[in-house]
Amino acid sequence: MSLDMKQTRLLEGLKVLDLTKATSGPFCTQILGDLGADVIKVEEPPEGGMGRDVLDAVNRIDDMDTWFMCVNRNKRSLALRLADVDGLSLFHELVQHADVVVDNYRPGVTKKLHVDHETLSAINPKIITCSLSGYGATGPLSNRAGFDVTVQGQTGMTSFVGLKDDSGLPMASDAAIADLLGGMYCAVAIPSAVHRRQVTGDGCHLDISMYDSVMTWFAGFGVHLMNFHESTSITGAVLWGTFQTKDRPLVITAHRASQYERFCRALERTEWLADPRFAAPADRAANMTELRRLVDEVLVTRTASEWIERFEAIGLSFAEFITLDEALVSPQTKAREMVIEVPTHDGGSMKLLGNPIKVNGIVDLFTVPPHPGEHTAEVLSELLGRTTDELNRLHESGSIHLGDQ
């Protein structure tokens, strides 16, 4: 059947075997699924293994906790035991029909399981394999287990964000920075490798680490430190950050020359433009404390709404300082369809965060995160032609799990 090119999603037709667990790898494959790839989540029978652990035994929907729900939509679940001879044989057969295999095991584990690139490329020379690990396949830390909090610590991210726990010790960000960055880089690399294959005809192996991914996000801070041997912080920029108004805070950026001029006019303090203490960027940096004091004195004379009206009129870059629960129900979030609702297996529904990649003319499709083995029969009959009797035999032997029956 030919595809409707107008409605074809970006990765329509791409078949992905997903061996990932926990957060980083599943986040990558969810992005691929959101973009239209057929993602087959290969899980350990019968419960699904790591990633479906009960991290929150109280707040669950459709027998899933928050972290599993947030990274596993738009996938089919195949419960298959790789350590079993028949299970591994089935997986190798599936590789013949696949474009990509993604894992987030520690380096060396895929070889032990016979799902490494060398083994799989002998089965399908065009296969693209992607391994996401804490520290990559090389280097002194390559064999160390990597979780979000440990990678944040090892990269310097924990010291950089400046958070502290109740005891005063440095604390990693709760935003799962390392997990999500690693997953995003995989989601960028995989379609890139697919494009390369269209040009060369060859598959390849992608080695991506959470460590490398976090390091790249230091961007200007890291480059400045390496070249000038001193740390820098954008939070120290003049007129950049959170400011208190008469009733609530606003986030303002007026550090560039054109923005500073607009800012002074909005505050009715045009005399600052000619004041030798504040005339040039270097002057403002040298007199930052005094300028900040003067700005604070003006901003607290009006409400946030009054300043917003002025700032919008002159095109100043600013934001309201709001909480996450406010952001989730804001008109902007609604307009961008960044909160979605999908029906669940039990007749209810769950709310999830939407797809930030908007494509003109394409309507996003979302399916609920699967139960373990929910699509085992569907996948094996559709791709490998297995009969009901064969599937029942494999289920009884423990090689596969057919889900809730």
Side-chain angles (χ1 to χ4, degrees):
M1 182 177 66
S2 62
L3 296 174
D4 178 351
M5 298 309 292
K6 274 194 169 182
Q7 291 301 318
T8 300
R9 293 184 290 166
L10 298 182
L11 296 181
E12 196 87 30
L14 189 73
K15 199 166 296 296
V16 179
L17 298 179
D18 177 11
L19 295 173
T20 68
K21 301 170 178 62
T23 303
S24 59
F27 183 60
C28 160
T29 53
Q30 175 173 279
I31 294 172
L32 303 180
D34 284 353
L35 296 177
D38 179 11
V39 178
I40 299 170
K41 185 176 181 65
V42 181
E43 305 189 80
E44 185 72 14
E47 301 298 330
M50 182 174 147
R52 290 188 183 267
D53 305 84
V54 181
L55 297 180
D56 188 338
V58 178
N59 299 301
R60 298 174 70 79
I61 298 176
D62 204 8
D63 198 31
M64 290 179 268
D65 76 358
T66 306
W67 281 100
F68 186 84
M69 292 190 309
C70 79
V71 292
N72 282 291
R73 66 169 175 241
N74 284 341
K75 302 179 185 182
R76 298 195 281 176
S77 173
L78 164 64
L80 179 151
R81 198 179 305 280
L82 290 175
D84 175 86
V85 174
D86 287 337
L88 181 61
S89 177
L90 287 169
F91 183 79
H92 285 170
E93 282 189 64
L94 288 169
V95 169
Q96 297 176 40
H97 300 270
D99 296 292
V100 181
V101 177
V102 190
D103 78 86
N104 61 343
Y105 295 116
R106 262 192 271 185
V109 173
T110 55
K111 192 167 186 65
K112 292 178 183 177
L113 293 173
H114 307 289
V115 294
D116 56 296
H117 181 73
E118 184 179 1
T119 299
L120 301 186
S121 62
I123 297 169
N124 178 357
K126 294 188 175 184
I127 197 70
I128 293 164
T129 58
C130 178
S131 294
L132 171 60
S133 59
Y135 300 98
T138 57
L141 302 180
S142 61
N143 289 321
R144 184 182 291 183
F147 286 87
D148 180 83
V149 65
T150 57
V151 173
Q152 285 196 51
Q154 193 69 47
T155 56
M157 178 60 77
T158 301
S159 68
F160 185 77
V161 297
L163 300 174
K164 293 187 182 299
D165 64 17
D166 292 340
S167 66
L169 287 172
M171 184 176 71
S173 168
D174 283 340
I177 294 171
D179 275 336
L180 302 184
L181 287 183
M184 283 199 294
Y185 272 108
C186 285
V188 170
I190 287 169
S192 302
V194 172
H195 174 72
R196 175 185 178 274
R197 184 179 63 188
Q198 291 173 339
V199 175
T200 67
D202 300 325
C204 65
H205 177 64
L206 303 168
D207 169 22
I208 297 173
S209 81
M210 294 156 61
Y211 181 91
D212 299 347
S213 302
V214 172
M215 292 299 290
T216 64
W217 277 57
F218 284 113
F221 307 109
V223 171
H224 185 94
L225 182 59
M226 289 186 293
N227 287 282
F228 299 102
H229 310 292
E230 63 179 12
S231 61
T232 183
S233 172
I234 204 164
T235 58
V238 182
L239 302 183
W240 169 289
T242 307
F243 296 79
Q244 183 61 48
T245 69
K246 190 173 185 177
D247 56 349
R248 55 195 173 92
L250 289 177
V251 181
I252 300 169
T253 59
H255 58 302
R256 299 188 185 278
S258 61
Q259 296 169 330
Y260 176 63
E261 181 179 353
R262 293 178 206 166
F263 184 64
C264 291
R265 296 190 186 285
L267 268 59
E268 299 177 356
R269 293 296 186 275
T270 53
E271 66 271 18
W272 292 350
L273 297 172
D275 191 318
R277 297 173 299 171
F278 314 132
D283 301 323
R284 293 194 288 277
N287 296 283
M288 184 189 312
T289 303
E290 177 62 10
L291 179 58
R292 176 69 190 239
R293 182 185 68 78
L294 294 172
V295 167
D296 287 343
E297 287 180 356
V298 177
L299 287 176
V300 295
T301 64
R302 298 177 187 270
T303 65
S305 296
E306 290 174 301
W307 287 122
I308 287 172
E309 185 176 352
R310 288 181 171 226
F311 294 160
E312 284 184 333
I314 63 171
L316 188 73
S317 174
F318 75 95
E320 299 169 72
F321 183 86
I322 63 176
T323 61
L324 176 58
D325 56 339
E326 290 173 315
L328 289 172
V329 296
S330 75
Q332 182 66 20
T333 298
K334 183 176 181 180
R336 296 295 294 172
E337 298 181 339
M338 283 308 298
V339 171
I340 61 170
E341 195 162 344
V342 296
T344 55
H345 302 83
D346 57 9
S349 65
M350 64 172 66
K351 290 182 179 179
L352 299 172
L353 296 172
N355 178 10
I357 302 173
K358 314 298 184 185
V359 185
N360 66 303
I362 303 299
V363 178
D364 279 329
L365 301 175
F366 300 106
T367 59
V368 67
H371 283 171
E374 180 180 343
H375 305 97
T376 299
E378 177 181 294
V379 169
L380 295 180
S381 60
E382 172 190 312
L383 298 181
L384 304 184
R386 291 299 191 270
T387 65
T388 301
D389 288 343
E390 290 174 310
L391 293 173
N392 287 334
R393 179 186 64 78
L394 289 164
H395 174 79
E396 290 169 7
S397 71
S399 300
I400 66 171
H401 183 68
L402 295 175
D404 299 330
Q405 297 190 56

